Amino acid sequence: MTTILLVEDEITIADTLIYALETENFSVTHVTTAQQGLDYCKSQSPQLAVLDIGLPDFTGFDLCRRIREFSDLPILFLTARDSEIDQVLGLELGADDYVTKPFSPRTIVARIRAILRRGQTSQQNDLLSTDLLHHQEDQMCISCCGQPLNLTAHEYKLLATLLSQPGRVFTRDQLLENAWDDPGSAMDRTIDAHIKSLRAKLRQHSEDAAETIQTRRGLGYTLVL
Ligand code: CA
């Protein structure tokens, strides 16, 4: 069951929301002060937080900022005034959405579902990119889609170097330095030939994996996950 933290000091609003959410099979923990909300987030891990902005101790904005210091959990604001909406939009608080009071509980439920769905998709994408290529350094083994790759020593060191810093462009010289014991004996062409064979081996497992190694013309190579 998905647990939602609700920080709202107006009991009638809270009651309506709790009823709507529980009807939809969410489990709701309700607190009335920002401090209680912060404590709860630190000790438990709710899947989502709904924060009122005008709270008795400190504001929902401050609460959001403090939660963001240690957690990425999705946050939905309940705003009462236009000025608050401007703040939600203007400050980069890391909130995922907001709903303006007065609101229909149905709207909130729909927004919460949408936020949770987005979160699930991005988690699946994370999983995919780490599954695509996984480096087990202690075993000097790189897997592609869960299957260990059968690499020569040079191919392994090349791919490990690229994987160590995804997005960084390595020049051919840098790759030679990292992957050859005696870089002087190899030539730039050697790198190109090994990259070609690496791509071919990756392609046997996944076209996406082969495309992670990108050529930067006149510069070198980079791995993009
Ligand atoms: Ca309030």
Side-chain angles (χ1 to χ4, degrees):
M1 204 191 263
T2 307
T3 308
I4 293 176
L5 168 69
L6 172 62
V7 187
E8 170 61 80
D9 58 332
E10 282 171 69
I11 302 301
T12 45
I13 293 180
D15 282 347
T16 319
L17 256 184
I18 292 166
Y19 178 77
L21 288 166
E22 286 182 346
T23 308
E24 296 286 326
N25 279 327
F26 290 107
S27 148
V28 184
T29 298
H30 172 222
V31 298
T32 52
T33 67
Q35 187 61 51
Q36 287 169 333
L38 187 62
D39 292 344
Y40 183 82
C41 286
K42 280 183 177 165
S43 61
Q44 311 290 321
S45 31
Q47 271 89 350
L48 186 140
V50 179
L51 310 182
D52 180 31
I53 292 169
L55 291 163
D57 43 356
F58 51 95
T59 69
F61 292 138
D62 289 330
L63 175 55
C64 178
R65 271 192 212 100
R66 291 171 72 167
I67 291 173
R68 280 288 170 262
E69 286 169 10
F70 61 89
S71 168
D72 284 334
L73 95 153
I75 291 176
L76 175 84
F77 277 119
L78 303 178
T79 62
R81 292 188 298 271
D82 287 352
S83 61
E84 289 177 347
I85 300 172
D86 291 345
Q87 276 183 283
V88 173
L89 299 175
L91 305 171
E92 297 207 346
L93 289 163
D96 295 82
D97 206 348
Y98 69 93
V99 176
T100 315
K101 293 178 186 173
F103 49 76
S104 81
R106 245 214 197 130
T107 310
I108 302 244
V109 171
R111 296 286 180 88
I112 286 176
R113 286 204 187 286
I115 294 171
L116 292 173
R117 260 200 312 275
R118 282 207 296 274
Q120 271 166 7
T121 329
S122 67
Q123 265 171 21
Q124 277 163 5
N125 288 346
D126 287 352
L127 221 75
L128 225 68
S129 64
T130 46
D131 269 8
L132 205 55
L133 289 169
H134 179 71
H135 187 191
Q136 247 180 308
E137 289 184 49
D138 56 337
Q139 296 179 21
M140 294 196 181
C141 176
I142 300 174
S143 322
C144 178
C145 304
Q147 301 285 317
L149 290 163
N150 184 15
L151 303 175
T152 66
H154 284 140
E155 287 166 353
Y156 165 74
K157 288 186 199 167
L158 258 183
L159 187 53
T161 303
L162 289 168
L163 255 178
S164 66
Q165 293 179 62
R168 170 177 162 186
V169 178
F170 288 90
T171 65
R172 290 176 175 80
D173 282 343
Q174 287 167 338
L175 291 171
L176 280 172
E177 281 294 327
N178 279 291
W180 268 257
D181 295 330
D182 180 13
S185 69
M187 290 179 292
D188 284 3
R189 276 206 308 280
T190 316
I191 292 289
D192 297 337
H194 279 82
I195 292 279
K196 195 176 167 190
S197 65
L198 248 182
R199 282 188 180 130
K201 287 185 179 180
L202 291 171
R203 192 165 290 119
Q204 289 172 2
H205 295 267
S206 145
E207 189 67 36
D208 285 349
E211 281 175 13
T212 58
I213 302 177
Q214 297 180 3
T215 309
R216 295 292 301 275
R217 227 171 231 287
L219 299 171
Y221 293 97
T222 183
L223 186 140
V224 179
L225 281 177

